[in-house]
Amino acid sequence: QVQLVESGGGLVQAGGSLRLSCTASERTFSRYGVGWFRQAPGKEREFVGTIPWSGGSTYYADSVKGRFTISRDNAKITAYLQMNSLKPEDTAVYYCAAGFVAGSEARGYNYWGQGTQVTVSS
């Protein structure tokens, strides 16, 4: 019954920045870790990064390290994906997900948002 809503997607030129938000429906689900995934047309869904709602260390896919940053605001039950130095290859539908196991695999998440489109132009 965890509902997640992404926002902040859009069009941006290469080198630009976007911040995605993922807000959960209820505070009681703040114990779940949150992951960010993305899926480009014709490609499989891939892991971007994750952050535990309870704190601890974030980690990222190698493809986004140094450019993307995940943060959280527990009072707002929201996780963020700050994307800097965007590249055309970052174009994808971005999903947030929540789960008790979490991690870098989609199987670790039980709840998914609807996705938000990020398009990076040259």
Side-chain angles (χ1 to χ4, degrees), residues 19 55 95 97 102 113:
R19 188 183 73 163
Y95 300 89

Side-chain angles (χ1 to χ4, degrees), residues 35-63:
W36 287 95
F37 293 78
R38 66 186 183 185
Q39 187 167 26
K43 295 185 177 181
E44 65 182 3
R45 187 168 299 183
E46 66 174 344
F47 170 75
V48 174
T50 187
I51 185 170
W53 286 111
S54 59
S57 61
T58 57
Y59 63 95
Y60 307 90
D62 289 340
S63 59

Side-chain angles (χ1 to χ4, degrees), residues 63-103:
S63 59
V64 305
K65 285 181 179 177
R67 299 189 299 120
F68 292 9
T69 303
I70 297 175
S71 60
R72 68 185 186 274
D73 185 338
N74 288 331
K76 297 181 179 179
I77 325 175
T78 300
Y80 303 94
L81 179 65
Q82 178 66 47
M83 304 182 293
N84 299 324
S85 302
L86 282 163
K87 305 174 181 179
E89 52 262 44
D90 294 317
T91 296
V93 176
Y94 283 71
Y95 300 89
C96 67
F100 184 74
V101 176

